[in-house]
């Protein structure tokens, strides 16, 4: 399966994460729910890594490990904050605000990874911001 197929599978699966998390955190700690759901992710990713014959040790000793560990820290902070936001607020507001990472990640890619900023991309980024504002404000 190519990147587009994986993207569609991710979309389909991730569509249900927020509503299910909202339901789970009605009477459960958001931190405990994050620990269980992300623990499941860690076990699945480790299983796939071992099945593929990839090396966790190589990843942790490679010069690029600083990026791996940085991403891990950012993912941890982001997911814990996201789960807390879902516990406290409506899915219809939390998800679009969280989804702004698509805009901010695109801007980081353009600013620091030498990715191109075309008129079309710029318009898409601007429309994404407008969409979030329309969805999250009364």
């Amino acid at each position: 399966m190519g990147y587009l197929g994986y993207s569609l599978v991710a979309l389909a699966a991730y569509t249900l994460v927020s509503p299910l998390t909202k339901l789970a955190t009605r009477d459960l700690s958001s931190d405990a729910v994050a620990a269980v759901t992300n623990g499941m992710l860690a076990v699945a990713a480790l299983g796939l890594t071992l099945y593929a014959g990839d090396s966790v040790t190589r990843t942790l000793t490679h010069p690029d490990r600083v990026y791996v560990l940085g991403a891990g820290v950012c993912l941890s902070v982001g997911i814990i904050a996201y789960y807390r936001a879902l516990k406290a607020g409506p899915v219809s507001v939390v998800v679009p605000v969280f989804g702004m990472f698509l805009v901010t990640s695109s801007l980081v890619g353009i600013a620091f990874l030498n990715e191109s900023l075309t008129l079309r991309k710029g318009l898409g980024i601007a429309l994404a911001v407008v969409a979030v504002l329309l969805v999250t404000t009364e």
Side-chain angles (χ1 to χ4, degrees):
M1 182 173 357
Y3 73 90
L4 196 51
Y6 282 122
S7 297
L8 293 172
V9 169
L11 169 64
Y14 213 79
T15 293
L16 298 175
V17 170
S18 300
L20 291 171
T21 299
K22 180 67 177 180
L23 291 171
T25 57
R26 287 183 300 187
D27 194 41
L28 297 171
S29 158
S30 61
D31 296 335
V33 171
V36 171
T37 57
N38 287 279
M40 292 169 63
L41 167 63
V43 168
L46 181 59
L48 288 171
T49 300
L50 296 175
Y51 177 78
D54 294 333
S55 172
V56 173
T57 303
R58 179 176 182 272
T59 301
L60 292 173
T61 58
H62 193 277
D64 288 341
R65 72 182 172 275
V66 65
Y67 304 120
V68 174
L69 299 174
V73 168
C74 292
L75 180 63
S76 298
V77 170
I79 291 297
I80 289 169
Y82 181 55
Y83 276 49
R84 287 182 175 194
L86 284 169
K87 181 174 180 74
V91 171
S92 61
V93 174
V94 171
V95 173
V97 171
F98 172 74
M100 284 293 293
F101 80 85
L102 299 169
V103 168
T104 55
S105 292
S106 295
L107 294 174
V108 168
I110 291 164
F112 298 106
L113 301 177
N114 297 319
E115 296 178 2
S116 64
L117 173 60
T118 63
L119 179 60
R120 183 174 159 182
K121 279 185 187 178
L123 184 58
I125 290 169
L127 289 174
V129 171
V130 170
V132 169
L133 290 174
L134 290 172
V135 171
T136 58
T137 57
E138 294 290 327

